[in-house]
Amino acid sequence: MDEAAYVVLMRVHLFFPEVGSLKGKRAELNRVKALLRERLHTSVAEVAHQDTWQRSTLAVAIAARSASLAQDTADTVQRALDGRFPQGVRCEYRLASWEDLEPIG
C-alpha cells in the first residue's frame, strides 16, 4: 500500500489599497480566507500584519496524496488570488514529501 503524503506551505502577502480601517480589512480578509478554506480546501491563518490596515500575510497549508496534486492546488490558489487582487499579491511556497520532513516525536 502506497502511503505517499505531500504538503505545500504557502506564505501569501496581500495588499488592500481600498481599505481605510482594520474593520474593512477584516471584512475583506474574511472573504479571502473563506475562499481558501471552503472552495479550495486549504488551511489558512493570518500570521503577520494583524494590526495593519492595508497589509496581511497568510500561511496557507495544502495536503495531498501526490506531488502533482499538491502543485496543482498551489497553482489554483495563486490564480484565484491573482484574480481577486489584480494590484498584486505575492505568494511563496515550499513543497515537501513525508520523507523530506524532520520527525518531531
Side-chain angles (χ1 to χ4, degrees):
M1 174 163 83
D2 186 16
E3 294 183 7
Y6 295 85
V7 293
V8 172
L9 180 60
M10 301 180 79
R11 195 164 38 189
V12 178
H13 305 276
L14 301 173
F15 179 60
F16 305 95
E18 305 298 320
V19 173
S21 69
L22 281 175
K23 184 177 179 179
K25 173 193 164 181
R26 291 278 170 252
E28 181 63 25
L29 194 56
N30 285 337
R31 287 189 286 274
V32 171
K33 290 179 355 183
L35 164 75
L36 294 172
R37 285 183 181 132
E38 296 165 16
R39 284 200 27 226
L40 301 177
H41 309 291
T42 66
S43 295
V44 60
E46 186 176 24
V47 295
H49 308 295
Q50 289 90 340
D51 296 324
T52 305
W53 293 5
Q54 294 182 320
R55 294 180 63 196
S56 181
T57 300
L58 302 177
V60 178
I62 299 162
R65 66 180 174 269
S66 71
S68 62
L69 184 56
Q71 179 69 54
D72 290 347
T73 304
D75 292 343
T76 300
V77 167
Q78 175 78 54
R79 282 191 305 276
L81 293 171
D82 285 343
R84 189 171 189 99
F85 295 94
Q87 71 279 8
V89 59
R90 186 168 56 94
C91 295
E92 308 167 88
Y93 69 90
R94 301 285 190 270
L95 169 67
S97 70
W98 178 259
E99 290 78 23
D100 296 335
L101 302 173
E102 293 289 326
I104 59 173

